[in-house]
Amino acid sequence: MHMPVLRLATFLLAAATALSPLTLAAQTSMDALLDSAIAGTHRSAANKARDVHRHPKETLLAMGLKPGMTVVEIWPDSGWFTEIVAPALRDNGRYVAAHYPLEHASTNRSQRESRVAFEAMLKGNPAAYGKAEMSNLATPDRLAMVPPGTADLVLSFRSVHVWAYRGTDDVMFKAAFEALKPGGFLGVEDHRAIEGTSKQKQVNSGYMTESYVIAAAEKAGFKLDAKSEVNANPRDTKDYGKGVWALPPSLSYGEQDRAKYLAIGESDRMTLRFIKP
């Protein structure tokens, strides 16, 4: 049976009551590490402006981030969460960015530019990212983001709708499963569709139903461990001709109804934590 939906504050409070003093100390330490990373001067002003929509601290805690973990982020793109996770784990943990391989990205300009820019970001601030690592991740043949069974936490931010569009969701969930230790977590955040939305409309709009994502993860061997509503947005009506990209930060309609879409904010999103039994 799936764990019922919980507000993040309720979830964290309930979890804390069951933790040992050592684990509580680690959680307190993670709070402070995230606060420091989020406030860091290494972060761009544009990225900090999105904190109000993306709730980085609450999201990462809900996904199970703790000091000392080996954490893999799938396709970090420009590194929005990298700016936070990598510095938070710099002195107590390991951060691995599983990015597009350059040899695969050579035929995809946007993927190559994303990889090159990401590498430049890491090299440009060794104080923040000096211990961050990179690996290659791409279908069909570059799926070992880290050696099997060595990760404590795999993070996927707004990627599942891309996997579904490409027809690689089974492969990608399995790759995450293989990377994790038994008892390790997979954290998934993605744009949330209304239940009953057709598969075609999901992949066209960028919004996925929770039931689709949960079923895909369970097919790979995961069990749903927790949900959080920290990234819920009831203003998001999900009925835009250009899908989720009508909303910030894409604003694909340009100046047309710009104020309307800015007032809605970023998408309504599911935040799910799965466990590898």
Side-chain angles (χ1 to χ4, degrees):
M1 174 178 277
H2 293 156
M3 184 176 178
V5 176
L6 297 172
R7 288 284 177 183
L8 179 63
T10 303
F11 166 68
L12 292 177
L13 179 61
T17 61
L19 297 177
S20 68
L22 183 61
T23 308
L24 281 169
Q27 188 61 64
T28 301
S29 174
M30 195 73 256
D31 285 3
L33 290 168
L34 287 172
D35 287 341
S36 177
I38 290 167
T41 57
H42 66 286
R43 298 187 66 211
S44 69
N47 283 355
K48 284 186 176 183
R50 294 180 66 194
D51 289 352
V52 66
H53 300 295
R54 302 207 68 177
H55 314 104
K57 178 180 178 180
E58 296 85 353
T59 297
L60 290 165
L61 292 178
M63 289 178 173
L65 181 65
K66 291 183 176 64
M69 280 185 162
T70 292
V71 177
V72 182
E73 184 181 357
I74 292 176
W75 294 342
D77 194 29
S78 62
W80 197 95
F81 266 100
T82 305
E83 284 189 348
I84 299 165
V85 183
L89 294 176
R90 180 186 57 212
D91 299 322
N92 190 0
R94 180 187 177 204
Y95 171 83
V96 182
H99 219 299
Y100 292 108
L102 279 176
E103 63 269 28
H104 282 225
S106 62
T107 58
N108 186 310
R109 181 178 177 181
S110 64
Q111 290 179 10
R112 182 175 183 82
E113 289 178 349
S114 175
R115 169 75 184 238
V116 170
F118 186 85
E119 289 184 351
M121 181 190 80
L122 296 187
K123 293 176 182 176
N125 197 330
Y129 308 119
K131 295 184 180 179
E133 302 174 36
M134 293 195 69
S135 66
N136 297 310
L137 177 64
T139 58
D141 58 344
R142 301 296 294 274
L143 297 172
M145 54 191 89
V146 288
T150 60
D152 298 291
L153 174 63
V154 173
L155 300 172
S156 170
F157 298 107
R158 309 187 188 204
S159 292
V160 177
H161 69 278
V162 178
W163 306 346
Y165 176 81
R166 295 175 180 172
T168 60
D169 42 347
D170 285 353
V171 173
M172 294 300 292
F173 273 109
K174 196 64 179 177
F177 188 86
E178 293 299 323
L180 285 163
K181 302 172 183 177
F185 295 125
L186 168 66
V188 174
E189 178 208 352
D190 218 316
H191 315 293
R192 178 165 51 191
I194 297 169
E195 288 296 330
T197 301
S198 71
K199 170 72 179 297
Q200 191 59 52
K201 187 173 181 180
Q202 290 181 63
V203 298
N204 288 345
S205 68
Y207 290 97
M208 306 300 299
T209 64
E210 279 194 14
S211 59
Y212 182 97
V213 175
I214 291 168
E218 289 180 340
K219 184 178 179 181
F222 287 106
K223 299 296 182 184
L224 182 64
D225 192 55
K227 297 182 182 183
S228 170
E229 288 297 295
V230 66
N231 289 305
N233 181 359
R235 296 184 300 276
D236 182 6
T237 56
K238 313 175 188 187
D239 57 356
Y240 325 112
K242 294 189 178 183
V244 72
W245 300 282
L247 299 178
S250 298
L251 294 169
S252 57
Y253 282 104
E255 293 304 314
Q256 179 184 340
D257 294 325
R258 184 182 182 89
K260 165 189 165 182
Y261 294 120
L262 286 173
I264 292 171
E266 298 197 22
S267 65
D268 174 57
R269 299 182 305 285
M270 68 188 90
T271 305
L272 308 175
R273 187 176 77 205
F274 298 96
I275 191 168
K276 177 177 179 176

